[in-house]
Amino acid sequence: MPALGAPCQAGGTGRRAGGMEPRVFELFGPGASGATRGRAGTKGKKGRGRSSKSNNPPYLPPEAEEGNIEYKLKLVNPSQYRFEHLVTQMKWRLQEGRGEAVYQIGVEDNGLLVGLSEEEMRASMHTLHRMAEKVGADLTVLREREVDYDGDSPKKITEVLIRKVPDNQQFLDLRVAVLGNVDSGKSTLLGVLTQGELDNGRGRSRLNLFRHLHEIQSGRTSSISFEILGFNSKGEVVNYSESRTAEQICESASKMITFIDLAGHHKYLKTTIFGLTSYCPDFAMLVVSANTGIAGTTREHLGLAMALKVPFFLVVSKVDLCSAATVERTLRQLERTLKQPGCNKVPFMVRTEDDAVTAAQQFAQSPNITPIFALSSVTGESLDLLKVFLNILPPLTNSCEQEELMQQLPEFQVDEIYTVPEVGTVVGGTLYSGVCKEGERLVVGPTDGGVFLPLKVCSIQRNRSACRVLRAGQAATLALGAFDRSLLRKGMVLVSPELHPTVCWVFEAEIVLLFHATSCRRGLQVTVHVGNVRQTAVLEHIHGKDELRTGEKAVVRFRFIKHPEYLKPGTKLLFREGVTKGIGHVCSLQVIATETGGP
């Protein structure tokens, strides 16, 4: 890919290592085109041959002990002891999925699609309803599939979503960064999803998303804005369509999708990179206009998502403006790009609700899968498929990983700074680790002199509604009262004093130079993005080399120019200067002692 100097070569194929399991590939790969749709053939155990209506494999991947997916052959009239065991098992699966679990009824533990008769399925669903009621969850049937054996009556497999509000009332929150070229329809699509009304074809739905007058006048996003879309425990959309406030949406929703609307124009690229590195999105949605295809910053944004290893899916917008042949041409162009050796993605075209369910489940498990939606924000065509996909999309981190992060000391990254009348100074950002509560005393820094200053968290808000406790991975705004705003800047962190934070002027990083017109040498000044840190740094030394050319790897030493920063080894790094771009991770720091001073 020409943008970013073939970024995909260094970008990896997703956040989880390893390729797709062969059986999953056969079931959900490009040749399947909705492999679970219609009737699935099957074979008997131990090689008993039974002819099938299709060539689809008769199994799913074997059931995993961890995760939120449970296979059950049948749940017909269980004893009281068995029922209690099943309820305990459901609690475990819900905990693994952070409030969500998927049950496959009529499937053996090894993944064999056996199926149940109508009477057995009815009895099993009744038991499943009782189990869900016992744990305070709601049940939604995602889809039913027939397994048809010759000589036998048709049998069914039912896929069910179980969802509940977690006991701590902390709804499941996924962050989706919205990328794409200018005028591709990103803000319009978000307006339609979150407001619940279709666009008029002239961008009316996006007006509520803009933060500045010049954005309204030009129709182009230049800043980072956040929009929320909720789903209740039954999988129904919860948005502003019924004159709800953000607080009401949070109260009604069991699952929240927070969209991070990023700028598409090339002159706002630094803002887009900051949104990707700082806000730690779980997924990225790359919007491509059907009438222009891959144009402008589309390749650059695709390269950024891959370089930062953010799993992404594609949305082809404005299909109402084009002929079917033009839409198909754009889809073929996207598929060719995704299949290039550097990307190694498996395009999955979502055309039915069944495809949307399959895509959501496989997307988080298999980094190669890339779902593609073709929709219109004006006619509403295929918009429901995207909502089904977002409703079922599982979190990337399980409960164990979340628990480990919460056991650490609090560390909050400052991305935005405001002054609110009668509230005082407010900072927005993401809690990287630990738990933060109202009244908590933290230190903020580093200042230009490398000092951390004490402060108190007066109140917390998530998605514009009050929140008493903030947990690792959640984005929020913290009110700091009368703390002097002039002492704050983007890139700072709020941490526990017990952490004894250190800062550095100089750090070493292992990098890959994605693109440079000639060669990279000592003395080169670049803009470095590390998490929420964005500052100019000078390249002081290249270990073992005098210069670095496109595609080469090396360990290099950077020195910040303006002020010291708080960094952690292992953090992903991205640097740029004009057309020069590179990625890598921080290896080591030359730390300097810090002190805690008064504001």
Side-chain angles (χ1 to χ4, degrees):
M1 298 167 78
L4 277 182
C8 301
Q9 293 175 4
T13 55
R15 199 170 286 187
R16 297 184 180 181
M20 192 185 304
E21 196 171 320
R23 290 196 287 184
V24 182
F25 183 84
E26 290 173 25
L27 188 57
F28 299 110
S33 185
T36 55
R37 192 165 59 248
R39 302 185 172 202
T42 188
K43 302 172 186 174
K45 292 182 183 177
K46 298 182 181 177
R48 290 199 304 268
R50 289 177 175 174
S51 62
S52 61
K53 300 277 182 177
S54 72
N55 295 323
N56 295 330
Y59 44 70
L60 294 171
E63 182 187 68
E65 290 185 15
E66 297 180 350
N68 70 334
I69 299 177
E70 178 70 29
Y71 296 168
K72 284 288 174 233
L73 182 57
K74 63 176 71 174
L75 299 168
V76 179
N77 298 326
S79 64
Q80 185 61 32
Y81 175 79
R82 171 69 175 157
F83 180 77
E84 293 298 333
H85 173 74
L86 290 169
V87 169
T88 303
Q89 196 176 49
M90 179 175 282
K91 287 179 181 176
W92 161 253
R93 291 298 186 185
L94 286 168
Q95 182 184 341
E96 283 287 282
R98 292 162 60 185
E100 287 184 353
V102 175
Y103 271 64
Q104 302 273 8
I105 308 299
V107 181
E108 288 190 351
D109 287 349
N110 63 2
L112 184 70
L113 306 183
V114 177
L116 298 178
S117 65
E118 196 166 326
E119 187 176 339
E120 288 176 324
M121 184 60 75
R122 194 181 305 115
S124 296
M125 291 299 292
H126 175 69
T127 303
L128 200 61
H129 272 284
R130 287 174 54 210
M131 291 161 56
E133 192 175 333
K134 183 87 172 177
V135 300
D138 280 320
L139 181 153
T140 307
V141 176
L142 295 178
R143 55 185 174 178
E144 292 182 341
R145 291 172 279 182
E146 277 193 5
V147 182
D148 196 355
Y149 299 107
D150 281 354
D152 295 338
S153 58
K155 295 188 175 184
K156 283 187 178 180
I157 295 160
T158 302
E159 190 169 4
V160 183
L161 175 68
I162 314 289
R163 177 180 289 163
K164 65 171 290 190
V165 178
D167 298 330
N168 55 20
Q169 297 298 305
Q170 294 285 326
F171 49 77
L172 178 59
D173 190 5
L174 299 182
R175 287 192 293 277
V176 178
V178 185
L179 301 169
N181 190 36
V182 64
D183 299 331
S184 60
K186 300 185 297 298
S187 299
T188 299
L189 174 60
L190 293 193
V192 170
L193 287 172
T194 58
Q195 305 297 326
E197 291 183 7
L198 294 175
D199 188 53
N200 64 350
R202 295 187 296 277
R204 181 182 62 190
S205 65
R206 69 188 176 191
L207 294 179
N208 292 324
L209 277 66
F210 289 147
R211 299 173 63 184
H212 304 292
L213 177 61
H214 71 85
E215 292 180 315
I216 296 173
Q217 292 169 341
S218 68
R220 292 178 176 176
T221 302
S222 65
S223 60
I224 300 172
S225 63
F226 298 85
E227 293 300 319
I228 55 174
L229 174 67
F231 295 93
N232 64 19
S233 56
K234 296 179 181 177
E236 298 165 339
V237 171
V238 183
N239 57 19
Y240 292 106
S241 60
E242 297 176 10
S243 302
R244 285 188 173 94
T245 63
E247 192 168 359
Q248 289 173 324
I249 292 176
C250 292
E251 287 175 358
S252 305
S254 299
K255 180 177 187 175
M256 193 74 73
I257 306 292
T258 302
F259 292 105
I260 307 168
D261 189 15
L262 302 175
H265 199 283
H266 193 273
K267 70 178 180 180
Y268 304 123
L269 182 62
K270 67 175 184 179
T271 304
T272 301
I273 295 175
F274 181 78
L276 280 173
T277 57
S278 178
Y279 291 104
C280 309
D282 299 291
F283 305 100
M285 177 170 73
L286 182 64
V287 182
V288 179
S289 176
N291 55 354
T292 59
I294 298 177
T297 56
T298 304
R299 287 184 183 274
E300 191 131 20
H301 287 185
L302 175 62
L304 284 170
M306 295 198 67
L308 295 169
K309 298 187 178 180
V310 180
F312 62 91
F313 57 96
L314 300 178
V315 170
V316 178
S317 63
K318 303 184 182 181
V319 297
D320 56 294
L321 293 179
C322 311
S323 65
T326 303
V327 174
E328 198 63 26
R329 186 165 64 247
T330 300
L331 291 174
R332 297 289 81 79
Q333 182 189 24
L334 287 171
E335 288 182 356
R336 283 195 304 271
T337 301
L338 292 173
K339 289 178 181 179
Q340 285 178 355
C343 284
N344 292 323
K345 297 290 184 181
V346 179
F348 188 101
M349 190 63 211
V350 178
R351 301 185 188 277
T352 67
E353 190 171 316
D354 194 74
D355 289 346
V357 174
T358 301
Q361 293 175 352
Q362 294 306 309
F363 181 50
Q365 296 174 10
S366 305
N368 289 342
I369 289 284
T370 303
I372 304 176
F373 299 82
L375 52 80
S376 167
S377 298
V378 175
T379 65
E381 180 184 340
S382 297
L383 203 60
D384 287 340
L385 299 183
L386 182 59
K387 292 177 183 176
V388 168
F389 174 81
L390 293 170
N391 176 39
I392 303 167
L393 194 60
L396 286 175
T397 55
N398 59 32
S399 57
C400 294
E401 293 169 334
Q402 182 75 2
E403 195 65 34
E404 285 178 13
L405 280 174
M406 286 169 56
Q407 296 301 322
Q408 300 174 20
L409 291 170
E411 179 185 319
F412 182 89
Q413 298 181 342
V414 177
D415 302 326
E416 299 282 351
I417 304 165
Y418 316 94
T419 300
V420 180
E422 300 181 9
V423 176
T425 302
V426 174
V427 294
T430 306
L431 187 66
Y432 183 80
S433 62
V435 175
C436 182
K437 302 176 182 176
E438 279 187 4
E440 185 126 18
R441 295 192 176 275
L442 303 172
V443 293
V444 62
T447 63
D448 289 354
V451 176
F452 280 77
L453 307 172
L455 53 75
K456 179 183 175 182
V457 178
C458 300
S459 63
I460 304 172
Q461 280 203 342
R462 277 187 72 203
N463 293 314
R464 302 165 200 160
S465 60
C467 170
R468 300 187 69 85
V469 180
L470 188 64
R471 290 169 171 78
Q474 296 177 344
T477 53
L478 311 182
L480 308 180
F483 192 88
D484 187 357
R485 174 180 173 167
S486 66
L487 298 172
L488 299 173
R489 60 176 172 80
K490 292 181 183 180
M492 282 184 164
V493 289
L494 277 68
V495 296
S496 168
E498 298 174 32
L499 192 61
H500 303 297
T502 57
V503 300
C504 70
W505 281 96
V506 179
F507 68 94
E508 292 191 342
E510 186 177 329
I511 65 164
V512 177
L513 187 62
L514 297 178
F515 183 77
H516 194 287
T518 55
S519 61
C520 182
R521 298 172 181 272
R522 287 178 53 191
L524 176 69
Q525 288 191 8
V526 294
T527 302
V528 173
H529 297 261
V530 187
N532 66 332
V533 171
R534 180 176 66 192
Q535 194 188 147
T536 303
V538 61
L539 196 159
E540 282 196 334
H541 181 67
I542 304 173
H543 288 281
K545 296 182 180 181
D546 294 326
E547 59 182 24
L548 205 58
R549 294 184 177 276
T550 298
E552 292 184 343
K553 292 183 180 181
V555 176
V556 301
R557 186 169 71 234
F558 287 107
R559 176 182 290 274
F560 289 121
I561 287 181
K562 295 180 182 177
H563 40 69
E565 298 283 9
Y566 174 83
L567 299 182
K568 295 171 74 174
T571 313
K572 286 196 285 284
L573 169 147
L574 189 146
F575 63 90
R576 60 183 180 82
E577 176 55 43
V579 295
T580 302
K581 294 180 179 67
I583 59 168
H585 65 273
V586 177
C587 297
S588 61
L589 315 172
Q590 290 187 16
V591 298
I592 55 176
T594 61
E595 57 183 69
T596 302

